[in-house]
Amino acid sequence: MPGRLMVFAGSGSPLLTARICGVLGIEPAAGEVLTFSDGNTFVRVLENVRGADTYVVQSIVHRTNDYLVELLFWVDALKRASAGSVTAVIPYFGYGKGDKKDEPRVSIRARVCADALEAAGCDRVVTMDLHAPQIQGFFRIPVDNLYGHPTLCARIRELTPEGCVVVAPDTGFADEARMYADYLGTTVAIGDKQRTSHDESAEIMDIIGDVRGRDAVIVDDFVVSGGTLAEAAKLLLRKGARRVFAAVTHGVLAMAARDRIDRSPITRLLVTDTVEGHPAPLPAKLEVVTVAPCFGEAIGRINRQDSVSAMFPGQAAHR
Amino acid sequence: MPGRLMVFAGSGSPLLTARICGVLGIEPAAGEVLTFSDGNTFVRVLENVRGADTYVVQSIVHRTNDYLVELLFWVDALKRASAGSVTAVIPYFGYGKGDKKDEPRVSIRARVCADALEAAGCDRVVTMDLHAPQIQGFFRIPVDNLYGHPTLCARIRELTPEGCVVVAPDTGFADEARMYADYLGTTVAIGDKQRTSHDESAEIMDIIGDVRGRDAVIVDDFVVSGGTLAEAAKLLLRKGARRVFAAVTHGVLAMAARDRIDRSPITRLLVTDTVEGHPAPLPAKLEVVTVAPCFGEAIGRINRQDSVSAMFPGQAAHR
Amino acid sequence: MPGRLMVFAGSGSPLLTARICGVLGIEPAAGEVLTFSDGNTFVRVLENVRGADTYVVQSIVHRTNDYLVELLFWVDALKRASAGSVTAVIPYFGYGKGDKKDEPRVSIRARVCADALEAAGCDRVVTMDLHAPQIQGFFRIPVDNLYGHPTLCARIRELTPEGCVVVAPDTGFADEARMYADYLGTTVAIGDKQRTSHDESAEIMDIIGDVRGRDAVIVDDFVVSGGTLAEAAKLLLRKGARRVFAAVTHGVLAMAARDRIDRSPITRLLVTDTVEGHPAPLPAKLEVVTVAPCFGEAIGRINRQDSVSAMFPGQAAHR
Amino acid sequence: MPGRLMVFAGSGSPLLTARICGVLGIEPAAGEVLTFSDGNTFVRVLENVRGADTYVVQSIVHRTNDYLVELLFWVDALKRASAGSVTAVIPYFGYGKGDKKDEPRVSIRARVCADALEAAGCDRVVTMDLHAPQIQGFFRIPVDNLYGHPTLCARIRELTPEGCVVVAPDTGFADEARMYADYLGTTVAIGDKQRTSHDESAEIMDIIGDVRGRDAVIVDDFVVSGGTLAEAAKLLLRKGARRVFAAVTHGVLAMAARDRIDRSPITRLLVTDTVEGHPAPLPAKLEVVTVAPCFGEAIGRINRQDSVSAMFPGQAAHR
Amino acid sequence: MPGRLMVFAGSGSPLLTARICGVLGIEPAAGEVLTFSDGNTFVRVLENVRGADTYVVQSIVHRTNDYLVELLFWVDALKRASAGSVTAVIPYFGYGKGDKKDEPRVSIRARVCADALEAAGCDRVVTMDLHAPQIQGFFRIPVDNLYGHPTLCARIRELTPEGCVVVAPDTGFADEARMYADYLGTTVAIGDKQRTSHDESAEIMDIIGDVRGRDAVIVDDFVVSGGTLAEAAKLLLRKGARRVFAAVTHGVLAMAARDRIDRSPITRLLVTDTVEGHPAPLPAKLEVVTVAPCFGEAIGRINRQDSVSAMFPGQAAHR
Amino acid sequence: MPGRLMVFAGSGSPLLTARICGVLGIEPAAGEVLTFSDGNTFVRVLENVRGADTYVVQSIVHRTNDYLVELLFWVDALKRASAGSVTAVIPYFGYGKGDKKDEPRVSIRARVCADALEAAGCDRVVTMDLHAPQIQGFFRIPVDNLYGHPTLCARIRELTPEGCVVVAPDTGFADEARMYADYLGTTVAIGDKQRTSHDESAEIMDIIGDVRGRDAVIVDDFVVSGGTLAEAAKLLLRKGARRVFAAVTHGVLAMAARDRIDRSPITRLLVTDTVEGHPAPLPAKLEVVTVAPCFGEAIGRINRQDSVSAMFPGQAAHR
């Protein structure tokens, strides 16, 4: 049996950690993180952890590298302090986007992170809606990839009491959109997005599927600037949608996002609290739903050695 | 500088190896593979390889496990014989399909293969059209993932002199289809494929994009039974396509494929020679184009330390 | 303490697994193995295994590479599903014969297997009568090498109530033959086998030791074709032996074995059930004794953290 | 022989890289680093590097974690692009201060960095005046630790033409101060520094050694706030020193440093250019001497396989 | 929870092991070490250790290499016998002195030892007063570095009832001397030691700090020949010290030590029993205090998963 | 191509190293080994080795652990000094006898040595007549196992001009004895050795094969006390042998050997110079033949990347 359960808050996820601990009915374990004037990060665990089943909650985004390196130091500090096991809980793993060599001579950054975490002594990773499911294979240690859609769908049902159509902004998210649609018992429409030049931007050309007279819910795994959502919303309204919502697991929401979202025809943007501590002001239309119950239950199950996949019945067929 | 170039033929790719050596203007290096009556595989290198830059060409499919294990033995034998470097050339890496935990408690088989190859001492992998580009990240060693579409497109141009529309059988292959279309200077149509039940089969519901009066070329990375191709071909004809071709990198072509392809309205099925030694009779409509020039050039460039990505200008933007 | 005990049946050992579970008084744990039409193997664990003390029983022979790769996938699937520990129970480890570089530029195949198993995450190996005891040293993880002779000797005593002489077919098995003889309280004779040419076959020239008027029991670790046994049996009868039996741990028994054994003067060939699912018909003279009690007791002891070596008092002095 | 020499500029050391390349008579190799709006770092190598002997120059300080992670991505990108060897040139390794568990349950951060660099594929490290020489032992790969004092002493000689006394600010730097003194042919005085409470600050109580009427040069490996230097300078003047200089390898120089240094009685503060791109304005009394010739010669010697220790004759006896 | 506690005596520490076991109220576990006539060492564990929490106590000094290699064999034997965990208790780790490349082309011997121990399967190290605290960072596994000064100070208090001044023989031990002084509530004096030539010897030039009329206690981490202690004692008396004691954790005490110590003006030399089995006769002035209670408590705490750092409150601020 | 060839003499093999260098026409490279009064070993390389192809010659016997640990330090020092490759030349690898768990809870000592050498950074091993060929599989790095019998047979031919019979002292050396016999074009006799009790000694009961009137040459891989040889010699004379010689690769020759050999009826005992620096006086009947030409040629071939197995044509069939 694993040892007693201890959950530490990384600098990137203090609020979510507090909520998770609330769900688990425990206090966050005592530790501290300092940043010195030369830019160095310093982590100190303030309680005995020998033999304990320890978790560090740390999203890796915005101050991406600070949070990544801090997480490595948490893991090393806990291992050298003889923790029984160390689990990195990474609600949003921002370097998941670096999952392939999509051009010559670049790094596969997610693999670099995986290797560094394993080298530091990490025993397990818990995360949510990885950018690509293959990233689990970058790790040798077990990875529990939780799903955000059940949490978001519960709120979508309240917002669209007459039902909705789920919209994938591009073909790459079609499978995940079907997962939402199945969960909601509805259908899917898909944006036909094409890159128009060599820069990052891409344009949504068309929506495949009927949205007329229905509430449309655009779904995605993360939102940075909100540009794609705003563009898709306009197109959906032109195509006859009644109202447009968006439901996105990871609300990265960088600088320009507030204006783009608030000026868009989107009625409301749902995100979870995997990302917090945004450096930029947030859109007024934003609504945050917490995934603390989901992470709390997963951590409790891991500690009790119950099945985590049993939390998500029926999801296997989709990926 | 790497040592002298030596290319060994694994049991899974003797013909392609011979063709590659022809391109390189060398003889295949001397080695042999035995299978004993107890089922054991045995590999013997028959030439001095000290310091040499060695390559073993071995597709992993059909006798998948035999070829995988044999490849491990090749690598180990070469390393213990003090080869300077050992490159596994895997034209078709069949376990690429095992790239994620798409249901609970399964193995990420491609990662297992990657770890076993690295444990055996492999220094580099050269392959073609990996099932998912993330698989490069399963390896710590460099992986050169070559593209099959330039080879196939050269023949497509001859077969469809008046131009064609490229068809992705489902949204998951849309990006790759655009790579074909860009290469051919044409447009893309996409099949809307949906799984209808919990079994493996899926049905193509619709074709998005205009195919009327045009030759259609369905593209994919591998074909096993040909069922998807046959179904798509019928639908394309119903949608007004003139003729239907298919161009697929890896012609796995298991038992039922001959009948399905030959009875389908497909005019011709193009595949490359990454797969050979099929256990089943092949369709009459099949046409094989060789990728030996592509692999030969890549091996030559690696040995001379020239850029491999320079073989595929302009592909970076697509993946 | 280890977690709850779960025993999975690999495709190579379903019957032995069922018998072992019978000994342990448990049901085999739920899992399945599929082979797809492209030759790929797929393993799925169907029960929660978090924290469990898991065992996969899989002999590696006949479909040697299929069973080896399948075992790697079992181990990886169990580790990624957070099993507490994973033990590979390999009743017959066929690649044990690949234990040295007995000629230039060959692979040490047993080490390749060991490295691949460890890379996949295997925590321990349980096996029987390894071809060479040094193979334990190919692994960094603990290896429990069980002995088959107590099981076989129990039946030998019944078959030769007036006692017997134990016969090693060649000098290389002399030590093991003495282990049998000590266990039975009798003496040893040794075949003087010499390779007569560069091929695999070897001829038994003479028998050293007196066999006149006694029942002779030829012992060996494995039998493939039965040629050596048949030849030794003839020579023993010429030397005056009363009857000739053979007792061999691993009954590989390939194609030609039935004829060779049944036409030989051997009265009965005893083997254990470490090998099952033979592709070839079995000799009529064959008698199988089960080692399930031995493996069951070892697994139970490992799970309870009792000594395994205590199962074999007095064997230390022989190897 | 190593391949052709290529030197890449990390974001933390563009100026020093340019100077090093000037010394070597080559252009910096082409690469780029992007920071996305979600905080992610992205590295791209823009030239073929197959078989090349590559160096990335990157000090790790100020934006410590950004530069560390960026360096990992450089190394991974170069290894995956088949560079012959990858050397991390880290002029100032800021996490060298995290070299021990000086209190319970902290991370040994320098070891975490070492493991991450090795996991990413780094082949060698070149650095200068490591905070503790033991840090070389945190790496399995070779580490060339260059000395900064010959560069600084050349300028000290010019500034103190009548000779000087070398001052170590505390006993922990006494050995290094003797290295300076031997190089300059002079004597040493040592500050008796004692921590006065549990916070970070410490007070210099006394100066051991005679400084009356002489120019004093305080030496140290790094300066962050300048507080210790300012305090030591006052004490030295009280003890009768003529003028006070300071010579410090790594001029970290955080926020408060400008005021502290400029208001102190220090005549001039010498630092090298291992640190650049300071976020804060620099003291007017600062003078920077370049170590580019030292790094350039070391890189050239490594590439030509000449001895690096031969650059520092007679230093062995001091450490 | 760890398994049952078992403590084995290595050949280098039989007496200390017996004392530790006395403290713990257990018998030493059964094992034996043989040295064959060809010089080979052989280790045999004589009890079942499956799942047990095992400790081997072995100082590495005098027969340094014999004890190091023997320790590797203990670790390997225990791991292969399925011990739950293996802790190397190394009261004196003699190769700690090999902690850096203090001259070109030497080995970092402490890292070599660390890697060999980890490769053999060691899970943890417990040691005392490491020569440099950075050595913890040579290990990836947790290292508990115990302090010897509380044990020595208890006896110092008895020997110097009117108080004493603590003397560091050189600046390199100044921090540790302050640790003694804080513990005793007194002050520190520091020897100014300078190497006078290129050989190993160094001369103490002066004592910084007032020792007049007081008992002086020279402290150090190890004593080999006693030369430095004798020299410092003479100087202290010349400087007006009343009596001179020495307190050193590790009493290596090689050949010449007896004469040097006994002829010196040192009143008494205190050492602990981390070193035993000296090949040379010991000084008459020597007094040994046992650290068995310290090691016994640490082992008990590790086995019960209590904090070890809690044994040394307030030490964090010193290192 | 490997770099320039440098051969270092370990403390265990200075004479053999000098002879090997003579064969190669080079001077031994400059290095030194010190033993301090605390028992520590210290290794220093005294020449630049960057990029060089380095070899350390060190037999591991008599002062077994000293030589093993010294070898680890050589390897580490050379790797950290950036040697291009490091080969451990171990003429006699004494821990080869620790190749299996021949009783419960012992270490597989040869694997521990292999892991420690690889952890230290060793790239290759060259050795002679390993105690078991499986030991090559304990290493992941290439191992060149040279044969001693051609060197010994050249002298045997001179000593027995009328031919001889080769005698294996027990069945375990029968295969190797046939290798001698084939090389000499003669026949083999085998001793039937049985352990008579639980101690180490064993008694030769009988000789199988005709030795009457012929010179007999007992062959073995190592001789420690000479007891077996003396006993076998007596028996051979009783069986009618004309004269008895012995030819053994590794002359360990511990304390009692001189008397046993000189008092035995053996005419002459041939050994090679893989072992030197014996602590005991050597037998008068001893004759040493050098294997320096064999090792020299092997090293030269490795450096030139020629085949080493080509030195031993026809040996493959025997093992």
Side-chain angles (χ1 to χ4, degrees), chain B residues 37-41 44-45 47 62 64-66 69 76 94-95 97 101 103 105 107-109 224, chain C residues 37-41 44-45 47 62 64-66 69 76 80 94-95 97 101 103 105 107-109 224:
Chain B
S37 58
D38 57 1
N40 278 12
T41 297
R44 184 156 40 194
V45 173
E47 293 187 58
H62 286 311
T64 313
N65 300 321
D66 288 336
V69 173
D76 184 61
Y95 274 126
K97 269 177 282 184
K101 282 186 64 173
E103 48 190 321
R105 302 182 210 98
S107 170
I108 301 182
R109 292 167 291 157
V224 179
Chain C
S37 58
D38 57 1
N40 278 13
T41 297
R44 184 155 40 193
V45 174
E47 293 188 59
H62 285 311
T64 312
N65 299 322
D66 288 336
V69 173
D76 183 61
R80 290 188 183 274
Y95 275 125
K97 269 176 282 183
K101 282 186 65 171
E103 48 190 320
R105 303 184 211 99
S107 171
I108 301 181
R109 293 168 291 158
V224 178

Side-chain angles (χ1 to χ4, degrees), chain C residues 129 147-158 160 163-166 174-188 219 247 294 297 309-318:
Chain C
D129 287 352
Y147 293 98
H149 67 269
T151 301
L152 289 163
C153 285
R155 184 66 183 132
I156 291 171
R157 280 202 184 105
E158 295 172 353
T160 61
C164 65
V165 56
V166 172
D175 282 356
E176 288 79 2
R178 280 193 193 99
M179 203 157 60
Y180 274 82
D182 283 7
Y183 198 92
L184 293 166
T186 184
T187 59
V188 161
V219 294
C294 179
E297 180 166 355
S309 61
M311 291 170 59
F312 304 99
Q315 298 314 323
H318 284 282

Side-chain angles (χ1 to χ4, degrees), chain B residues 152 156 160 164-170 173 177 180 184 189-191 193 204 207 211 215-223 226-237 241 243-249 261 264-271:
Chain B
L152 288 164
I156 290 171
T160 60
C164 65
V165 56
V166 172
V167 182
D170 58 26
F173 207 68
Y180 276 81
L184 293 167
I190 300 174
K193 196 178 183 178
I204 300 181
I207 298 287
V211 301
D215 281 347
V217 181
I218 312 168
V219 294
D220 217 339
D221 60 339
F222 67 88
V223 49
T228 297
L229 293 182
E231 191 188 352
K234 282 178 219 158
L235 189 56
L236 284 164
L237 290 177
R243 292 184 300 175
V244 180
F245 296 89
V248 179
T249 309
I261 296 295
S264 80
I266 291 170
T267 300
R268 197 166 303 178
L269 167 58
L270 296 179
V271 300

Side-chain angles (χ1 to χ4, degrees), chain A residues 38 41 44 97 103 107, chain D residues 38 44 76 97 103 109:
Chain A
D38 57 0
T41 297
R44 184 156 41 194
K97 269 176 282 184
E103 47 191 322
S107 171
Chain D
D38 57 1
R44 184 155 40 195
D76 183 61
K97 269 177 283 184
E103 47 191 321
R109 292 168 291 158

Side-chain angles (χ1 to χ4, degrees), chain D residues 88 96 112 132-133 222 236 273:
Chain D
V112 172
F222 67 89
L236 285 164
D273 51 354

Side-chain angles (χ1 to χ4, degrees), chain E residues 38 44 76 97 103 107, chain F residues 38 41 44 76 97 103 107:
Chain E
D38 56 2
R44 183 156 41 193
D76 184 61
K97 269 176 283 184
E103 49 190 319
S107 171
Chain F
D38 57 1
T41 297
R44 185 156 38 195
D76 184 61
K97 269 178 281 183
E103 47 190 320
S107 171

Side-chain angles (χ1 to χ4, degrees), chain C residues 86-316:
Chain C
V86 181
T87 297
V89 180
I90 309 175
Y92 178 52
F93 177 41
Y95 275 125
K97 269 176 282 183
D99 62 351
K100 55 184 176 292
K101 282 186 65 171
D102 43 7
E103 48 190 320
R105 303 184 211 99
V106 299
S107 171
I108 301 181
R109 293 168 291 158
R111 175 68 194 257
V112 172
C113 296
D115 284 347
L117 278 164
E118 292 184 4
C122 192
D123 295 301
R124 171 194 306 283
V125 168
V126 176
T127 185
M128 180 169 271
D129 287 352
L130 278 172
H131 186 57
Q134 285 86 356
I135 293 169
Q136 287 185 287
F138 291 0
F139 291 87
R140 283 255 21 108
I141 53 175
V143 176
D144 287 304
N145 184 22
L146 308 179
Y147 293 98
H149 67 269
T151 301
L152 289 163
C153 285
R155 184 66 183 132
I156 291 171
R157 280 202 184 105
E158 295 172 353
L159 292 171
T160 61
E162 296 169 38
C164 65
V165 56
V166 172
V167 181
D170 57 27
T171 55
F173 207 69
D175 282 356
E176 288 79 2
R178 280 193 193 99
M179 203 157 60
Y180 274 82
D182 283 7
Y183 198 92
L184 293 166
T186 184
T187 59
V188 161
I190 300 175
D192 187 17
K193 196 178 181 178
Q194 306 217 352
R195 281 192 199 81
T196 50
S197 67
H198 281 273
D199 61 17
E200 272 205 336
S201 66
E203 206 175 319
I204 300 180
M205 311 299 283
D206 199 359
I207 299 287
I208 300 147
D210 192 2
V211 301
R212 270 169 302 184
R214 302 170 70 187
D215 281 345
V217 180
I218 312 166
V219 294
D220 216 337
D221 60 341
F222 67 89
V223 49
V224 178
S225 72
T228 297
L229 293 182
E231 190 188 354
K234 282 179 218 155
L235 188 56
L236 284 164
L237 289 177
R238 282 205 304 274
K239 292 278 183 175
R242 203 164 66 111
R243 294 184 300 177
V244 179
F245 296 87
V248 179
T249 309
H250 306 298
V252 177
L253 297 168
M255 278 308 157
R258 183 168 66 163
D259 278 7
R260 286 215 186 132
I261 296 295
D262 282 347
R263 288 175 188 168
S264 81
I266 291 171
T267 301
R268 195 165 306 178
L269 166 60
L270 295 180
V271 299
T272 78
D273 50 355
T274 57
V275 180
E276 62 185 76
H278 299 80
L282 295 174
K285 291 178 172 177
L286 189 74
E287 178 179 338
V288 179
V289 293
T290 182
V291 287
C294 179
F295 277 95
E297 180 166 355
I299 291 171
R301 281 170 173 268
I302 292 167
N303 183 250
R304 291 188 314 269
Q305 301 185 335
D306 283 346
S307 169
V308 169
S309 61
M311 291 170 59
F312 304 99
Q315 298 314 323

